[in-house]
Amino acid sequence: MGSGGDVPFNSKFTIYVVACWILAAFGGLMFGYDIGISGGVTAMEDFLIKFFPKVQERKLHAKEDNYCKYDDPMLQLFTSSLYLAALVASFFASKACTVLGRKRTIFLASLFFLGGAGMSAGAQHKWMLIIGRILFGIGVGFANEAVPVFLSEVAPVQHRGAVNILFQLFVTIGILIANLVNYNTSTMHPYGWRFSLGLAGVPGVVLFFGSMILTETPASLIERGKDAKGKSALKKIRGVDEVDDEYEEIKKACEVAKQVKQPFKKLMKRESRPPLVIAIMMQVFQQFTGINSIMFYAPVLFQTMGFKNDASLLSAVITGSVNVLSTCISIYAVDKCGRRGLLLQACFQMLISQVAIGVILLVFLKNTGTMNSSLAIVVVILLCTFVSSFAWSWGPLGWLIPSETFPLETRTAGFAFAVSSNMLFTFLIAQVFLSMLCKMRAYIFFFFSAWILVMGIFVYFLVPETKGVPIDAIVERVWKRHPVWKKYMDNKDDNGGTKAMEMA
């Protein structure tokens, strides 16, 4: 199929290519485990007694403010330092993806994950905890850069959405596993928290050995001048020998990419603004849904509403299960319903859920005491409806859309901006959420609701549909036809003059 065709390239499912998808997606499982494990560990008494005794004392105070008992900058830094490290690492990961390839970048991610697991589990001092989190963060930066790009490049066009969403599915599985681990290790005194942090090494080992089995993507091989290996890899992942049309399209995109010596500079050009703006804003909005606030601190949040420690962890397991199941719905729906439909539907459902939670907490949860158990269960149900809508929309599509909308010459550089933006705002939310909860109380849910409204408007007017469009034909078939973004594709430079064919 050429760039303008409507018939998919030849391909068939093979055990090998499915194994490649699953093994690469373990990078997402590591990310999800890191997200889910933090909230449970920071709610464990043994962990608080060893590293944050003041927080533990405040937590046990009989009349402590429900909204403020976990408000501690260092406790928040334990969670958020990972994402600051991932932000910085993503730019190094972009270079690694281009120079070393996607496969080797995933391998490097596994090494950092293993180092982080060992340092965190064996920590005796706060600085050891933070270094462990930083090593995890570097691994997240490398994995989150390489895995979605890898999946988009090896997936057949007609299944690209579903294959790419495997990354987010494994993120949700990682969160669920972390919640189950925390639920069981919370009673393993005094070292339960060490097991929780150390078990991150298990998926790290799988990713380590799995990265040795993965094939490199054809686009990466051809881009680095290994044309014969690229064609061979294309035949291997497609499961057929007739790959000439797709090979020529990739080769054409690589020829354009080779002329771009400075991809980050190219990203600042006028014609790169549509995918760059979409990539960055998708990450900003993804975080301002409030989802990671819930996933990071679900046990803490449920304790705030009056659940006991075990009940709060169990409630986190419930929301984690909903997260996984709803992401499976996205795998089925994304290549049938399209990206825009899922995003807009979810904005409506998330808005209703957040507003309802805010109203209930505002009216019924006082500064001290607990909430009526029936109302607390209603809040858990509303949280599940919120999580489900996020899981089949903004969760997976926040990674899918940026990975498929950049041309090859700026793909890894552009995706680095997406990853770094995600990590920056994840860091900010993780660092300030407990303080925001203390200061804003129930109004924090109205804060996130306002952002969801803005997100819906953004999608309606500015996010294009990319369902069924070959990854190397996005510019011609999406950006040049979009009512808003097409004016950025008119071959004019930033000063309004006619742009020469020189490449940055």
Side-chain angles (χ1 to χ4, degrees), residues 32 127 160 178 219:
W127 66 265
R160 188 176 65 239

Coordinates of all heavy atoms in Angstrom, one line a residue, residues 32 127 160 178 219:
G32 N 4.0 0.9 35.6 CA 2.8 0.7 36.4 C 3.0 0.3 37.8 O 2.4 0.7 38.7
W127 N 18.4 8.8 51.8 CA 19.2 9.0 50.5 C 19.2 7.8 49.6 O 19.2 7.9 48.4 CB 20.5 9.6 50.8 CG 21.5 8.7 51.5 CD1 21.8 8.6 52.8 CD2 22.4 7.7 50.9 NE1 22.7 7.6 53.1 CE2 23.1 7.1 51.9 CE3 22.6 7.3 49.5 CZ2 24.0 6.0 51.6 CZ3 23.5 6.3 49.3 CH2 24.2 5.7 50.3
R160 N -2.5 -1.1 14.7 CA -1.5 -0.3 15.4 C -2.0 0.2 16.7 O -1.3 0.2 17.7 CB -1.0 0.9 14.5 CG 0.1 1.6 15.1 CD 0.7 2.7 14.2 NE -0.3 3.8 14.0 CZ -0.8 4.1 12.9 NH1 -0.5 3.5 11.8 NH2 -1.8 5.1 12.8
A178 N 1.0 -4.3 41.9 CA 1.5 -3.5 43.0 C 0.5 -3.4 44.1 O 0.9 -3.6 45.3 CB 1.9 -2.1 42.5
A219 N 12.2 0.3 10.7 CA 12.5 1.7 10.5 C 13.8 2.1 11.1 O 14.6 2.9 10.6 CB 11.3 2.5 11.1

